[in-house]
Amino acid sequence: MEVFHPMLGFGPVTFSLNVLYNLWFAEVFIVLFCVAFSARNGRLRSQFLVAFVLTWVLIGNVLAAAFASVGPAFFMPFYGDGTFSPLMDYLQSTNLTYTVSALVTQNYLLVDAGFDGPRVGSGISAFPSLHVAVATLNAIYLWRFGRLLRWASIAFLAAIQLGSVHLAWHYAVDGYASMLMTPIIWAISRRLSNAQPCLQIGMKDRRVEIN
């Protein structure tokens, strides 16, 4: 945070990172839709879809629950520690001129944390970053589709990583961990997708034997 804040600590930059961070949801569904209905390279499509599911299950649920933690935005309310108060003060003051919608969502999650039991759209867990993980997965997939998509996906990944820290959602290590784990999930998904034809052949052979 302290390293990049001199470069990012300007209203228009913060606003832009917030917009890009919100566009993560659009990128997720656009890429997923295009892959799901793509008629080219069925094995690559299967690999992506398996990796997508594993990323959400393992990083977004299993590890998020196992390493449950709160991001900088929630550090003061949960622990009474003002380490990240300067960042929150900056975001609050910037919000007076340039809308920082992250603050609204963070406040919603904080209020929701006071209720008993799980609620739709609730839950606070900083490590690891699902935003960075899915952006990394999309960058891995789009790397093979020409320079425009390749570097656009890399730039978007960088914006998500910077935004996750600058907007007080995550610590930098949360994103770094996701960038390391996602390629492993991608490799595992390749092995799983490669095994599918073998499973299908085995099932067909059993059908022949039964007949």
Side-chain angles (χ1 to χ4, degrees):
M1 179 185 72
E2 295 179 354
V3 175
F4 291 101
H5 191 74
M7 295 179 286
L8 304 178
F10 301 95
V13 177
T14 301
F15 174 79
S16 299
L17 284 176
N18 193 106
V19 170
L20 288 172
Y21 203 78
N22 290 337
L23 285 176
W24 176 85
F25 294 97
E27 195 222 19
V28 169
F29 289 109
I30 289 173
V31 174
L32 180 61
F33 179 86
C34 292
V35 173
F37 290 95
S38 173
R40 299 171 55 188
N41 200 331
R43 183 162 294 180
L44 181 62
R45 181 178 64 249
S46 297
Q47 182 179 359
F48 177 88
L49 295 176
V50 171
F52 185 84
V53 172
L54 288 180
T55 298
W56 278 83
V57 171
L58 297 179
I59 294 180
N61 288 274
V62 176
L63 292 179
F67 298 97
S69 59
V70 298
F74 310 103
F75 211 73
M76 181 66 179
F78 274 80
Y79 301 112
D81 190 315
T83 301
F84 300 100
S85 292
L87 174 59
M88 298 310 299
D89 291 342
Y90 163 76
L91 293 175
Q92 292 286 357
S93 62
T94 301
N95 189 48
L96 298 176
T97 307
Y98 299 92
T99 302
V100 183
S101 60
L103 295 174
V104 177
T105 308
Q106 289 163 1
N107 184 66
Y108 165 81
L109 292 174
L110 186 60
V111 171
D112 199 77
F115 293 98
D116 294 329
R119 295 161 62 88
V120 176
S122 64
I124 298 173
S125 185
F127 182 91
S129 170
L130 180 63
H131 276 70
V132 174
V134 176
T136 301
L137 176 62
N138 289 342
I140 292 174
Y141 176 80
L142 294 173
W143 182 262
R144 69 202 71 231
F145 292 104
R147 292 183 179 179
L148 179 60
L149 290 176
R150 175 184 303 173
W151 295 112
S153 64
I154 293 296
F156 188 77
L157 169 59
I160 294 299
Q161 169 64 9
L162 290 173
S164 69
V165 178
H166 184 64
L167 298 172
W169 285 112
H170 292 279
Y171 311 99
V173 67
D174 301 335
Y176 299 152
S178 294
M179 290 183 203
L180 290 174
M181 289 185 286
T182 305
I184 297 175
I185 291 177
W186 178 255
I188 293 173
S189 300
R190 181 177 183 178
R191 295 181 65 88
L192 291 175
S193 59
N194 285 342
Q196 289 180 2
C198 296
L199 294 175
Q200 293 175 358
I201 292 174
M203 293 176 63
K204 291 180 180 179
D205 291 342
R206 290 180 182 178
R207 291 173 185 172
V208 172
E209 290 176 0
I210 294 175
N211 294 334

